[in-house]
């Protein structure tokens, strides 16, 4: 028992190493668990579990930019010698897993996107999803300094600009689009904070797509300073004030690669915005966001009853914007008195089930590879012996099987829901996966 308590102190102390290494931690304030805490055993528990601070990071890739930082965290782990008590091995496993555990999504995520696909249907029972005479989309783009980071060969900002241009080109002629950017002035220094936090500007006022003007607008800014989410949402409300919801279908995309850093309360502002005369559908896109950022951005989307998605590359970003393009095209059909066929709705629903299945598969695959890479590193540096590694690999195999079984359970469940109305699906999920 004394040895177990000593290990708990050592493992808990690694939180300091994690912070010094520049990694974020979840809202619970600690990465490491007490041995009494049970790891997820069901699909619902996997959904409810908080993602680890290293979720979404491909540590298994030899050239990953954060590989050395993660190795420093692993260096702080105590040695796990062969022949140690199994309770210590399980404690070690639970804390290693909590570093790399992925953010497994609720089936509600799919139903929310089905709701988007059913835009215009009175069955939804949400006034924001009814078509009006005019269709407006505003994109609020993060231009803070962190958007200089590269994903592959290009910066996040370059990828975002390309995706926005493609999106705007594909909108129906009568649809309107605007682009607001924030954090594009000053620098990330404390001396420039006030200037940067007050920089949120419309660079492309609400209008139909104009290739030359949009190109000029996209060339006006580069990543610079701080992240002013709350202030930018307030300004977006002003942008759309002349377009009330009784005559306009308004959609806002808030794009950010991190949390609010200017002291505002974006969750409260998002809630007020959703209840204003503008009544927009607010969708939030996290661009390669860590666990802490994902938590706040999800809360912003939830407060406005909008959608949240975390994307890690240009194609995923483009696919999220694609939803708005599809809605705009349906709006154009609605204006021509065209009706959406049920077969098309079912095809779209199946598409999202496939995407959900793939998301779970990829996260399970990445989580397993990351843990395997961590175990290889710990063995190579003498932190764990061969018997200990064998035990931890068996635990990893059990985790893989759990996530795979949960994926199959949830996708089968979603297939079961496809013929129900949105309200029936919402009620079903609340009963089966309450609290998600």
């Amino acid at each position: 028992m004394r040895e177990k308590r000593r290990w708990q102190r050592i493992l808990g102390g690694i939180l300091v190493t994690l912070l010094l290494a520049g990694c974020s931690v979840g809202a619970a304030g600690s990465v490491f668990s007490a041995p009494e805490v049970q790891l997820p055993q069901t699909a619902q528990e996997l959904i409810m579990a908080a993602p680890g601070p290293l979720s979404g990071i491909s540590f298994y890739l030899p050239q990953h930019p954060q590989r050395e930082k993660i190795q420093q965290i692993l260096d702080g782990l105590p040695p796990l010698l062969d022949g140690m008590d199994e309770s210590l091995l399980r404690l070690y496993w639970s804390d290693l897993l909590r570093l790399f555990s992925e953010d497994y999504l609720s089936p509600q995520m799919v139903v929310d996107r089905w709701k988007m696909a059913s835009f215009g249907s009175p069955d939804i029972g949400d006034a924001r999803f009814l078509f009006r005479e005019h269709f407006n989309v505003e994109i609020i783009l993060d231009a803070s300094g962190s958007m200089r980071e590269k994903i592959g060969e290009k910066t996040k900002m370059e990828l975002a600009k390309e995706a926005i241009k493609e999106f705007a080109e594909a909108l129906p002629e009568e649809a309107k689009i605007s682009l607001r950017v924030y954090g594009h002035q000053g620098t990330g220094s404390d001396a420039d904070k006030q200037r940067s936090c007050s920089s949120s500007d419309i660079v492309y006022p609400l209008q139909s797509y104009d290739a030359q003007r949009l190109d000029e607008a996209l060339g006006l800014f580069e990543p610079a300073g701080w992240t002013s989410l709350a202030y930018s949402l307030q300004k977006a409300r002003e942008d759309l004030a002349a377009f009330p919801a009784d005559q306009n279908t308004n959609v806002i995309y808030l794009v950010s690669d991190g949390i609010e850093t200017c002291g505002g309360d974006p969750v409260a502002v998002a809630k007020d915005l959703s209840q204003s005369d503008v009544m927009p559908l607010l969708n939030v896109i996290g661009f390669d966001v860590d666990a802490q950022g994902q938590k706040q951005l999800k809360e912003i989307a939830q407060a406005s009853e909008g959608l949240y998605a975390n994307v890690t590359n240009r194609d995923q970003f483009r696919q999220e914007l694609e939803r708005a393009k599809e809605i705009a095209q349906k709006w154009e059909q609605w204006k021509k008195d065209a009706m959406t066929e049920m077969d098309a709705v079912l095809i779209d629903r199946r598409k999202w089930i496939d995407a959900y299945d793939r998301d779970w598969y990829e996260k399970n695959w990445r989580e397993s590879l990351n843990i395997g890479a961590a175990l290889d590193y710990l063995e190579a540096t003498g932190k764990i012996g061969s018997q200990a590694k064998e035990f931890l690999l068996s635990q990893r195999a059990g985790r893989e099987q759990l996530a795979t079984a949960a994926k199959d359970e949830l996708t089968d469940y979603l297939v079961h829901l496809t013929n129900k109305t949105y309200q029936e699906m919402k009620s079903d999920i609340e009963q089966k996966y309450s609290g998600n």
Side-chain angles (χ1 to χ4, degrees):
M1 182 60 69
R2 181 180 301 171
E3 178 69 5
K4 186 181 293 187
R5 290 198 191 98
R6 185 179 75 85
W7 262 53
Q8 283 183 254
R9 288 195 299 271
I10 294 172
L11 287 170
I14 298 172
L15 176 60
V16 177
T17 306
L18 189 65
L19 293 171
L20 290 175
C23 296
S24 301
V25 297
S30 175
V31 174
F32 298 99
S33 61
E36 293 80 9
V37 174
Q38 294 296 314
L39 294 177
Q41 300 297 320
T42 66
Q44 182 174 6
E45 290 172 357
L46 274 175
I47 293 167
M48 296 294 289
L54 303 180
S55 67
I57 295 176
S58 300
F59 170 62
Y60 63 89
L61 296 176
Q63 304 304 319
H64 193 278
Q66 297 191 48
R67 187 173 178 84
E68 290 187 7
K69 288 184 178 181
I70 299 171
Q71 287 175 342
Q72 291 173 15
I73 295 169
L74 297 175
D75 289 339
L77 289 168
L80 187 63
L81 305 177
D82 290 339
M84 295 190 80
D85 185 88
E86 185 173 313
S87 64
L88 293 178
L89 294 173
R90 292 190 180 280
L91 173 62
Y92 200 103
W93 162 249
S94 67
D95 290 318
L96 185 63
L97 175 61
R98 288 176 188 278
L99 277 175
F100 294 103
S101 58
E102 290 286 336
D103 183 18
Y104 292 104
L105 298 177
S106 165
Q108 182 64 47
M109 168 267 191
V110 179
V111 173
D112 286 342
R113 277 151 179 78
W114 287 349
K115 185 178 181 181
M116 286 280 283
S118 300
F119 212 107
S121 170
D123 290 339
I124 295 176
D126 187 330
R128 297 173 305 157
F129 286 78
L130 295 179
F131 286 133
R132 305 298 185 187
E133 184 64 23
H134 307 287
F135 188 88
N136 309 311
V137 181
E138 175 158 324
I139 298 174
I140 309 173
L141 179 62
D142 188 351
S144 62
S146 54
M147 289 290 283
R148 287 192 296 265
E149 295 174 2
K150 285 192 172 183
I151 298 179
E153 297 298 318
K154 296 185 177 181
T155 65
K156 294 179 186 178
M157 179 58 75
E158 289 172 329
L159 297 176
K161 287 182 177 181
E162 289 175 0
I164 289 170
K165 185 176 179 181
E166 289 179 10
F167 165 68
E169 287 175 346
L171 284 175
E173 185 177 349
E174 292 186 29
K176 304 290 194 302
I177 182 173
S178 63
L179 175 62
R180 171 174 287 278
V181 296
Y182 60 92
H184 55 294
Q185 307 242 354
T187 67
S189 69
D190 289 339
D192 270 346
K193 182 175 181 179
Q194 183 175 358
R195 178 189 174 197
S196 181
C197 287
S198 61
S199 64
S200 180
D201 299 308
I202 281 283
V203 294
Y204 188 84
L206 192 66
Q207 59 188 288
S208 299
Y209 169 66
D210 183 306
Q212 181 177 345
R213 289 184 180 179
L214 184 60
D215 281 344
E216 292 172 355
L218 291 171
L220 293 175
F221 58 91
E222 292 298 335
W226 297 67
T227 305
S228 54
L229 299 178
Y231 179 61
S232 296
L233 287 172
Q234 289 171 343
K235 298 299 288 184
R237 179 173 177 174
E238 296 176 14
D239 298 338
L240 296 173
F243 306 95
D246 60 343
Q247 300 177 35
N248 296 267
T249 297
N250 295 317
V251 180
I252 294 177
Y253 276 95
L254 173 65
V255 182
S256 177
D257 73 342
I259 62 172
E260 167 80 37
T261 58
C262 292
D265 185 350
V267 177
V269 174
K271 184 175 182 178
D272 289 342
L273 175 59
S274 69
Q275 297 172 353
S276 68
D277 291 341
V278 175
M279 205 165 64
L281 175 63
L282 174 59
N283 295 324
V284 182
I285 300 178
F287 206 149
D288 198 31
V289 181
D290 62 21
Q292 184 183 13
Q294 288 186 47
K295 180 178 184 297
Q296 185 182 75
L297 295 178
K298 283 181 182 178
E299 290 174 351
I300 294 171
Q302 289 167 358
S304 62
E305 298 185 63
L307 304 183
Y308 170 76
N310 186 40
V311 303
T312 57
N313 56 54
R314 173 191 165 191
D315 286 343
Q316 291 176 349
F317 186 23
R318 180 182 52 77
Q319 288 167 9
E320 286 303 316
L321 293 178
E322 192 88 359
R323 306 286 76 79
K325 184 191 80 174
E326 291 172 358
I327 293 170
Q329 291 171 342
K330 289 181 67 176
W331 167 78
E332 187 178 41
Q333 291 176 349
W334 170 78
K335 292 193 73 174
K336 297 175 182 177
D337 295 324
M339 298 295 292
T340 302
E341 296 292 337
M342 187 60 190
D343 286 347
V345 172
L346 291 176
I347 290 171
D348 191 83
R349 289 184 177 184
R350 186 69 222 197
K351 178 177 67 176
W352 276 108
I353 293 174
D354 292 342
Y356 182 74
D357 182 274
R358 185 168 61 253
D359 183 80
W360 269 71
Y361 172 82
E362 291 176 351
K363 287 175 177 176
N364 187 13
W365 174 76
R366 182 170 58 230
E367 182 181 273
S368 184
L369 287 179
N370 281 336
I371 292 172
L375 293 177
D376 289 342
Y377 178 79
L378 290 168
E379 183 183 40
T381 55
K383 285 286 185 180
I384 61 174
S386 59
Q387 294 178 8
K389 183 181 179 183
E390 183 178 353
F391 173 85
L392 295 171
L393 285 173
S394 71
Q395 298 300 301
R396 182 186 73 159
R399 172 76 173 192
E400 286 180 18
Q401 292 172 2
L402 170 64
T404 299
K407 173 182 71 68
D408 293 342
E409 172 191 330
L410 292 166
T411 52
D412 288 346
Y413 171 67
L414 286 167
V415 170
H416 160 73
L417 291 182
T418 53
N419 289 312
K420 295 190 175 186
T421 67
Y422 175 74
Q423 293 299 334
E424 288 174 324
M425 291 186 290
K426 183 178 180 182
S427 175
D428 198 318
I429 284 185
E430 286 174 350
Q431 292 177 21
K432 191 172 178 65
Y433 296 100
S434 59
N436 298 321

